[in-house]
Amino acid sequence: ARLPARLSQLVFFTTTLGCPLGWLALLATRSLAALSRGRRRQLARWSELLYAWSTHEVLAVVLFNSALELGQYFQYLLDPRCEPINALLREYFADQLSEPKCLSIRATTGPGTFVLAAAAAVSTAAGLQMHFSMRRTAAATLPVAAHPLGLAPELASDYSPPPDPQSAEGVEGAATDRSPPSEAAPALALPGQ
């Protein structure tokens, strides 16, 4: 009986704490450390996976929503079953109870909920900004076929891969890029001349 509870606690803490912190740590590592192209691609994949499993913003929304609707939800579920008990409470304990009901729930949000919501908003905004700026940088510097995340849509029309140096177009381009030396350019003097 304790294994399902421990498993749900593990999933809860992993998705609300571990994945968001891991996602931000990978983004910071990817942007600050000098890494090879392959390692950056690998970190990009892992950071997208961790972001997909991050649920700290979902937890904040659930907490706010539960404070608003939890009482109404339980009232809807339990009112038909509580009505006989409520009648007895009103008859015998109305002067002793402020609200003679068998069950009354008042969910409130504490200061921690607002801190969680602010932290989730800031981490999501900062993380997505870093993530998409690195995607744009990667899209501009990597060939389309080698880019692990695909080409950013705003860069797709501007990107043209360099010509293959072995193709006729590449050889012709290389030949036209070289210009003959200028007459005004001084000749190089070799040592001893």
Side-chain angles (χ1 to χ4, degrees):
R2 296 194 47 75
L3 181 63
R6 294 292 181 207
L7 184 61
S8 72
Q9 289 172 352
L10 176 68
V11 169
F12 173 77
F13 283 112
T14 301
T15 58
T16 58
L17 188 64
C19 288
L21 291 176
W23 173 58
L24 291 173
L26 282 179
L27 286 177
T29 302
R30 190 168 177 247
S31 65
L32 298 175
L35 302 169
S36 67
R37 185 178 294 175
R39 181 64 64 180
R40 284 194 315 260
R41 263 196 303 254
Q42 187 179 21
L43 287 180
R45 287 187 192 113
W46 279 105
S47 67
E48 284 191 354
L49 178 74
L50 287 176
Y51 177 67
W53 283 96
S54 296
T55 60
H56 57 300
E57 67 275 340
V58 175
L59 177 63
V61 170
V62 166
L63 290 174
F64 281 117
N65 192 38
S66 66
L68 296 174
E69 297 186 13
L70 195 61
Q72 295 172 356
Y73 178 71
F74 277 108
Q75 184 178 357
Y76 170 77
L77 286 179
L78 298 176
D79 259 358
R81 293 185 179 112
C82 280
E83 193 50 46
I85 298 170
N86 287 344
L88 290 172
L89 289 173
R90 279 191 298 271
E91 185 178 337
Y92 295 107
F93 299 102
D95 57 339
Q96 297 173 6
L97 298 172
S98 62
E99 194 174 343
K101 286 187 171 182
C102 72
L103 179 66
S104 179
I105 294 178
R106 288 191 185 95
T108 60
T109 56
T113 308
F114 294 101
V115 170
L116 174 67
V122 168
S123 73
T124 301
L128 288 176
Q129 173 62 31
M130 258 196 320
H131 177 76
F132 286 119
S133 69
M134 283 189 280
R135 275 186 86 166
R136 281 192 297 275
T137 303
T141 58
L142 293 176
V144 176
H147 193 273
L149 305 173
L151 193 59
E154 65 270 9
L155 299 173
S157 62
D158 297 339
Y159 181 78
S160 60
D164 182 18
Q166 302 302 321
S167 71
E169 181 184 294
V171 171
E172 180 183 310
T176 58
D177 286 346
R178 292 189 206 126
S179 56
S182 165
E183 301 281 337
L188 293 175
L190 295 174
Q193 287 185 344

